[in-house]
Amino acid sequence: MTPTRRTLLGAALTGATAAVGLPATPASAASWQLKWSPSASADGLGAFETIEDDRANSHPAGHPHIRPEGNNWRFTMHRVDRDTMTDRQRQEVTGLRTSPGSYLKWLPGQTWRLTYSMYIPSSLKATTTFTHIMQMKQPGNGSSPIVVQSLRRVNGAQTIELQLPISGTLVGRTSLDPLHDRWTDVDFQIKVGNGTSGSVRWILKSGGTTLIDKARTGVDTFLADRVRPKWGIYRSLGDSSGSLQDCHLLLTDLRGYQLV
């Protein structure tokens, strides 16, 4: 049975500018404005700029690996799935589409915020190599990630973390155990900036409890062109902990805000 979700996000947006670890701005001068609010049941995969569902056609019997399921978006990963680079697996969506011919572009100097809820079943485990469930990247093949939210084993323990790969900065890390088999609220904020002009804040909450709230300023959050979010499961097959299983990830209540 697909778990249902009761929305807990939204209220935290009100009057939050000065508290997010980003440059404080008087409330009269700037506020979070909703720019993207898709529904899985109404918009389906049309909510996203691109769909990366089994790009290598490695497992036709498993199609579709990415699909709307009620009010959720479901990303299914089978152990036999392979990406075009066969040492890894990828089932991801990219971008924030606002109409059939338009999508949001995150550019230097802009500040953006994503809120959503995710359901991580116990079958989606942390690994000794990379397992990303959210990324920020420059569009285009072969570009390096700017931000990654990952499930990683650290000294044998399962954790969830946020890193900035350009500088190798660990924003924060916490235990994955309290997130398994329940809904977790994600609040991610980014000021797009080159060199030391970027900022990020990462908050996870579950059942009204804040699990982690970490921010970094003076960091690099831009490569070239624009920044584009990605969601789904992207993982290496090089795990040495025996954690790779058939699994899935659920997302719901995706919202995108800009500080204007």
Side-chain angles (χ1 to χ4, degrees):
M1 178 180 296
T2 300
T4 57
R5 173 63 186 148
R6 183 181 302 168
T7 303
L8 298 175
L9 295 167
L13 290 169
T14 305
T17 305
V20 298
L22 302 170
T25 307
S28 60
S31 61
W32 294 109
Q33 292 194 6
L34 182 64
K35 299 289 186 177
W36 184 65
S37 55
S39 160
S41 58
D43 301 296
L45 299 183
F48 308 105
E49 185 179 340
T50 68
I51 312 298
E52 298 175 347
D53 186 330
D54 194 10
R55 301 188 303 177
N57 198 32
S58 66
H59 186 203
H63 291 183
H65 296 82
I66 306 171
R67 67 178 190 272
E69 187 176 78
N71 291 323
N72 308 318
W73 287 275
R74 181 184 176 106
F75 302 79
T76 301
M77 186 68 77
H78 308 97
R79 292 185 65 187
V80 298
D81 297 346
R82 296 293 183 271
D83 192 25
T84 51
M85 298 178 68
T86 56
D87 64 341
R88 62 198 63 193
Q89 303 176 299
R90 184 196 305 270
Q91 312 292 0
E92 290 184 302
V93 297
T94 77
L96 287 65
R97 185 171 294 281
T98 54
S99 69
S102 181
Y103 48 83
L104 297 176
K105 296 182 179 181
W106 294 12
L107 302 173
Q110 296 179 345
T111 301
W112 291 88
R113 185 174 197 162
L114 293 171
T115 64
Y116 61 96
S117 296
M118 61 182 178
Y119 185 90
I120 303 176
S122 56
S123 57
L124 178 51
K125 301 182 184 302
T127 54
T128 55
T129 48
F130 68 83
T131 293
H132 303 324
I133 58 173
M134 183 272 282
Q135 301 187 73
M136 304 282 155
K137 298 188 72 176
Q138 166 196 343
N141 294 329
S143 61
S144 299
I146 299 166
V147 178
V148 289
Q149 181 178 249
S150 309
L151 311 181
R152 188 179 301 277
R153 287 195 178 262
V154 179
N155 298 323
Q158 295 196 77
T159 73
I160 183 170
E161 66 179 29
L162 192 84
Q163 286 210 32
L164 309 178
I166 296 175
S167 60
T169 301
L170 176 65
V171 177
R173 177 186 289 148
T174 191
S175 174
L176 179 61
D177 293 337
L179 278 66
H180 268 149
D181 299 321
R182 66 183 62 192
W183 286 100
T184 301
D185 296 322
V186 182
D187 186 341
F188 173 77
Q189 300 144 40
I190 180 171
K191 180 181 179 183
V192 181
N194 223 343
T196 58
S197 60
S199 301
V200 297
R201 188 184 184 192
W202 181 54
I203 307 168
L204 299 179
K205 294 184 178 182
S206 182
T209 298
T210 299
L211 305 175
I212 192 167
D213 183 345
K214 296 291 185 179
R216 286 294 186 108
T217 59
V219 293
D220 194 345
T221 57
F222 183 74
L223 288 174
D225 187 13
R226 59 188 170 103
V227 175
R228 182 171 69 178
K230 303 186 74 174
W231 293 272
I233 303 173
Y234 177 42
R235 66 184 184 181
S236 166
L237 294 170
D239 171 68
S240 60
S241 66
S243 297
L244 299 179
Q245 300 180 7
D246 290 353
C247 62
H248 68 278
L249 171 71
L250 300 178
L251 301 179
T252 195
D253 293 337
L254 286 160
R255 299 290 182 267
Y257 302 83
Q258 185 180 9
L259 188 65
V260 295

